[in-house]
């Protein structure tokens, strides 16, 4: 039975879907004003693996990941660039989809945008006002009245009296209470706005997700996910809005992935240790980044450091070296390995433990190859590929992965092939010194030549 | 090639088991206290 750590209850729980055999999951997606960074990559990959595993487990999953395409940061960035907010967001939505695809992240079933969900947002705000949970301020904004929602703080464990005493909550004179948060912002000059019963304006961030999630998945659904930084206030406010508007429980299981640190420090623009995914992908293959993310449990901090990425690359090289040259078409029931892999994933999506099982399979595969047991090697390789797909790894061509990219200054594939042929010719002419010299030349350029009965193969080290 | 030996694969298994046992928020050896987790969250400055 699948166990999920539910941050609403602070404990692992057996997953029981609302509707047998079906799962409805919503994940807070990107605010599209810049390229995705490593923190975004973690959210994309973690919930992609959760979605893949739910489907692999036989559930009919509806996965919704929204796009926030209007907010202050978007408006400010578009203004800085001298372009429309729509041009900016269209560009970064496309970039996000490219980055996600590169990481092997499958598209969600639905990808609603805030700007195309205005009717649903306005309907929910109207419901909140009608039920007495929201009010219009004298500045034209509409606010949520936190004091009316008795269970506020259930997700974050925060108590309203402590929040009121805190310094982080700014006082806005239009609010009845400093804890109240904005649902609808009155239009400011030169800002995009939409018509509403309270005048032109745009939605607050929190109400967007409440409206989009319930519109796509219904008032009560199974799983809501996102980064741990969203647990408060964003997800806390989502619960307050949705449950007040609909009168029923919003979500059964809340899943939050941990943070990304850079060299054991928090990642922030002010510290200058901020990497976009595209920058990282110039050095490391996307699959290496995906492996690096999955080698940590999703609730552990993920420490971004070059040595950890290098380690991820080596680990994938070991997998692909074992897979190279083996027919992986046969998938048997997988026996004990598959059972242990599933047990690891059933334990709150424990991907490092699942990877440990895949390494054990790789050891057995290497042994089968050494013993020239082709049938066993083929069955193990088939299962390795099959289980790899469940977490979105090991689907590439082994030879291509191991050969890697030449890089800006590296020796090209064609140059390597030419040198390899020269070495073969030298060996056939029994010019062993020349053959060794060519091998050493290639090694000096990071190309490893491996000789076997089947001939010479190479890979970039 | 040491790194492709059975020993290195065994080390990979050990590495992954160590990763699996690393402190997680909300479980195992790490804090199960929401307030501590959120204080950390609030200090992060994801743009």
């Amino acid at each position: 039975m699948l166990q999920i750590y539910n941050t609403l209850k602070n404990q692992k729980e057996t997953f029981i879907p609302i509707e047998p055999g079906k799962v409805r999951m919503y994940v807070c997606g990107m605010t599209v004003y810049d390229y995705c960074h490593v923190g975004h990559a973690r959210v994309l990959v973690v919930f992609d693996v959760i979605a893949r595993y739910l489907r692999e487990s036989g559930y009919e999953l509806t996965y919704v990941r929204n796009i926030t395409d209007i907010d202050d940061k978007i408006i400010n960035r578009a203004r800085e660039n001298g372009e429309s907010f729509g041009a900016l967001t269209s560009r970064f939505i496309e970039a996000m989809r490219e980055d996600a695809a590169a990481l092997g992240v499958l598209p969600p079933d639905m990808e609603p945008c805030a700007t195309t969900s205005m009717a649903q947002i306005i309907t929910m705000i109207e419901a909140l006002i009608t039920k007495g949970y929201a009010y219009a301020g004298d500045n034209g904004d509409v606010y949520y009245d936190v004091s009316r929602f008795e269970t506020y703080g259930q997700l974050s464990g925060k108590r309203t009296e402590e929040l009121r005493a805190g310094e982080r909550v700014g006082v806005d004179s239009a609010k009845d209470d400093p804890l109240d948060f904005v649902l609808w912002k009155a239009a400011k000059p030169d800002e995009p706005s939409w018509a509403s019963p309270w005048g032109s304006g745009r939605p607050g961030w929190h109400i967007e997700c409440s409206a989009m999630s319930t519109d796509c998945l219904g008032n009560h659904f199974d799983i809501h996910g996102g980064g741990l930084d969203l647990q408060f206030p964003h997800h806390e406010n989502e619960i307050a809005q949705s449950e007040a508007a609909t009168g029923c429980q919003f979500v059964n299981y809340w899943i939050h992935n941990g943070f990304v640190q850079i060299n054991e420090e928090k990642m922030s623009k002010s510290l200058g240790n901020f990497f976009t995914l595209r920058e990282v992908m110039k050095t490391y293959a996307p699959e290496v980044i995906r492996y690096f993310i999955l080698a940590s449990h999703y609730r552990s901090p993920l420490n971004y450091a070059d040595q950890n990425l290098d380690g991820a690359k080596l680990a994938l090289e070991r997998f692909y070296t074992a897979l190279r040259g083996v027919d992986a078409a046969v998938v048997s029931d997988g026996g004990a390995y598959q059972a242990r892999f599933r047990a690891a994933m059933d334990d709150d999506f424990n991907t490092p433990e699942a990877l440990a099982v895949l390494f054990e399979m790789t050891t057995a595969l290497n042994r089968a190859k050494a013993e020239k047991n082709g049938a066993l090697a083929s069955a193990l390789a088939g299962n390795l590929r099959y289980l790899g797909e469940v977490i979105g790894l090991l689907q590439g061509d082994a030879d291509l992965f191991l050969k890697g990219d030449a890089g800006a200054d590296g020796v090209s594939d064609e140059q390597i092939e030419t040198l390899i042929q020269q070495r073969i010719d030298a060996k056939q002419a029994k010019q062993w010194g020349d053959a060794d010299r060519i091998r050493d030349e290639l090694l000096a350029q990071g190309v490893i030549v491996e000789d076997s009965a089947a001939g010479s193969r190479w890979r970039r080290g | 090639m040491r790194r492709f030996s059975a020993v290195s694969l065994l080390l990979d298994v050990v590495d992954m088991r160590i990763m699996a046992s690393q402190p997680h928020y909300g479980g195992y050896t790490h804090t199960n206290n929401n307030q501590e987790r959120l204080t950390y969250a609030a200090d992060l400055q994801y743009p």
Side-chain angles (χ1 to χ4, degrees):
Chain A
M1 293 287 278
L2 175 61
Q3 299 276 311
I4 294 179
Y5 187 88
N6 185 358
T7 40
L8 187 63
K9 307 277 182 64
N10 273 349
Q11 63 184 19
K12 271 191 213 172
E13 296 181 332
T14 300
F15 177 67
I16 301 169
I18 296 167
E19 198 177 339
K22 294 186 178 179
V23 179
R24 287 168 284 153
M25 178 168 81
Y26 181 90
V27 172
C28 287
M30 310 304 141
T31 300
V32 282
Y33 71 104
D34 208 338
Y35 291 111
C36 290
H37 56 61
V38 181
H40 295 137
R42 190 175 200 191
V43 177
L44 289 168
V45 169
V46 162
F47 287 97
D48 179 61
V49 165
I50 290 173
R52 283 170 183 257
Y53 188 64
L54 288 169
R55 291 198 172 105
E56 166 65 22
S57 301
Y59 291 110
E60 188 184 312
L61 172 70
T62 306
Y63 175 23
V64 181
R65 191 183 67 218
N66 80 296
I67 294 171
T68 296
D69 60 349
I70 183 70
D71 88 333
D72 289 342
K73 290 191 282 280
I74 290 170
I75 292 168
N76 292 338
R77 181 62 60 86
R79 196 172 283 154
E80 286 165 21
N81 292 355
E83 63 183 329
S84 72
F85 87 96
L88 177 88
T89 55
S90 297
R91 195 165 71 250
F92 285 115
I93 287 171
E94 196 55 38
M96 176 197 69
R97 288 178 179 154
E98 287 171 7
D99 290 350
L103 286 171
V105 172
L106 301 172
D109 299 295
M110 302 168 89
E111 203 172 33
C113 292
T115 56
T116 52
S117 306
M118 286 300 161
Q120 295 88 331
I121 291 167
I122 288 168
T123 300
M124 186 171 265
I125 297 173
E126 283 179 321
L128 289 168
I129 292 174
T130 303
K131 293 184 175 188
Y133 286 95
Y135 60 92
D138 55 17
N139 60 354
D141 292 351
V142 179
Y143 295 101
Y144 186 93
D145 183 352
V146 170
S147 67
R148 284 277 288 114
F149 192 69
E150 288 182 1
T151 55
Y152 191 82
Q154 59 182 291
L155 180 67
S156 61
K158 285 180 177 285
R159 296 196 307 208
T160 48
E161 53 270 31
E162 288 171 357
L163 286 167
R164 222 166 251 122
E167 294 176 12
R168 285 187 178 276
V169 180
V171 177
D172 183 331
S173 60
K175 294 180 183 179
D176 290 348
D177 184 317
L179 293 188
D180 295 349
F181 56 89
V182 70
L183 299 170
W184 188 261
K185 297 179 180 184
K188 293 183 184 136
D190 303 324
E191 281 191 0
S193 61
W194 288 259
S196 83
W198 319 283
S200 289
R202 59 186 168 92
W205 174 37
H206 310 305
I207 194 72
E208 294 173 9
C209 281
S210 281
M212 286 187 274
S213 60
T214 53
D215 181 51
C216 294
L217 297 174
N219 292 343
H220 180 203
F221 56 92
D222 299 289
I223 297 173
H224 193 313
L228 188 53
D229 51 323
L230 300 185
Q231 190 188 2
F232 184 86
H234 185 53
H235 291 162
E236 190 73 65
N237 290 353
E238 271 192 67
I239 293 174
Q241 294 164 155
S242 304
E243 296 192 354
T246 66
C248 69
Q249 184 175 354
F250 179 38
V251 169
N252 283 0
Y253 301 87
W254 286 84
I255 302 179
H256 292 97
N257 67 271
F259 302 118
V260 176
Q261 299 171 313
I262 310 287
N263 293 319
E264 308 286 351
E265 287 186 315
K266 69 181 181 183
M267 181 175 74
S268 76
K269 273 195 169 170
S270 59
L271 288 173
N273 60 3
F274 183 77
F275 297 105
T276 68
L277 201 45
R278 291 182 175 219
E279 286 170 328
V280 181
M281 285 197 284
K282 284 179 187 167
T283 310
Y284 298 100
E287 190 174 4
V288 171
I289 301 167
R290 187 176 177 105
Y291 177 94
F292 158 70
I293 290 169
L294 297 179
S296 291
H297 189 277
Y298 79 87
R299 283 189 286 121
S300 294
L302 179 69
N303 189 38
Y304 181 94
D306 284 347
Q307 67 184 63
N308 293 345
L309 270 295
D310 291 339
K313 181 169 178 278
L314 278 176
L316 279 174
E317 284 178 5
R318 285 194 270 274
F319 282 125
Y320 277 119
T321 301
L323 286 168
R324 182 152 72 166
V326 183
D327 176 12
V330 183
V331 179
S332 65
D333 67 359
Y337 291 118
Q338 275 203 21
R340 286 169 49 220
F341 179 91
R342 287 178 200 284
M345 293 298 286
D346 276 344
D347 181 17
D348 192 30
F349 313 106
N350 192 338
T351 51
E353 177 58 36
L355 284 167
V357 176
L358 298 191
F359 278 119
E360 289 176 357
M361 290 176 76
T362 306
T363 303
L365 171 56
N366 283 340
R367 196 181 303 129
K369 285 169 74 177
E371 293 168 356
K372 304 200 184 311
N373 186 340
L376 179 60
S378 187
L380 283 163
N383 277 295
L384 193 53
R385 292 260 193 197
Y386 176 78
L387 294 178
E389 189 178 12
V390 176
I391 52 177
L393 292 172
L394 306 181
Q395 300 307 295
D397 180 275
D399 230 24
L400 284 179
F401 182 89
L402 292 168
K403 287 177 178 174
D405 288 328
D409 306 319
V411 58
S412 71
D413 289 6
E414 292 74 21
Q415 289 169 314
I416 294 169
E417 296 289 357
T418 302
L419 285 166
I420 295 275
Q421 189 55 52
Q422 287 176 9
R423 182 167 174 265
I424 291 167
D425 295 342
K427 283 168 76 177
Q428 283 174 349
K430 300 193 187 308
Q431 293 169 341
W432 309 114
D434 286 349
D436 287 350
R437 179 184 51 74
I438 293 168
R439 185 196 60 205
D440 292 345
E441 269 180 30
L442 285 165
L443 188 61
Q445 298 186 76
V447 178
I448 297 157
V449 182
E450 293 165 341
D451 295 322
S452 70
S456 295
R457 292 188 302 201
W458 62 271
R459 61 185 171 85
R460 289 189 172 87
Chain B
M1 298 299 295
R2 183 196 159 276
R3 70 184 192 204
F4 294 123
S5 69
V7 173
S8 64
L9 283 165
L10 182 62
L11 290 175
D12 283 323
V13 173
V14 173
D15 279 351
M16 286 302 106
R17 297 254 149 84
I18 290 170
M19 293 304 278
S21 66
Q22 289 298 297
H24 303 6
Y25 79 77
Y28 308 158
T29 56
H30 199 52
T31 180
N32 203 34
N33 180 311
N34 263 336
Q35 195 57 52
E36 288 174 28
R37 287 158 45 199
L38 290 165
T39 302
Y40 181 35
D43 286 343
L44 282 168
Q45 297 168 27
Y46 286 149

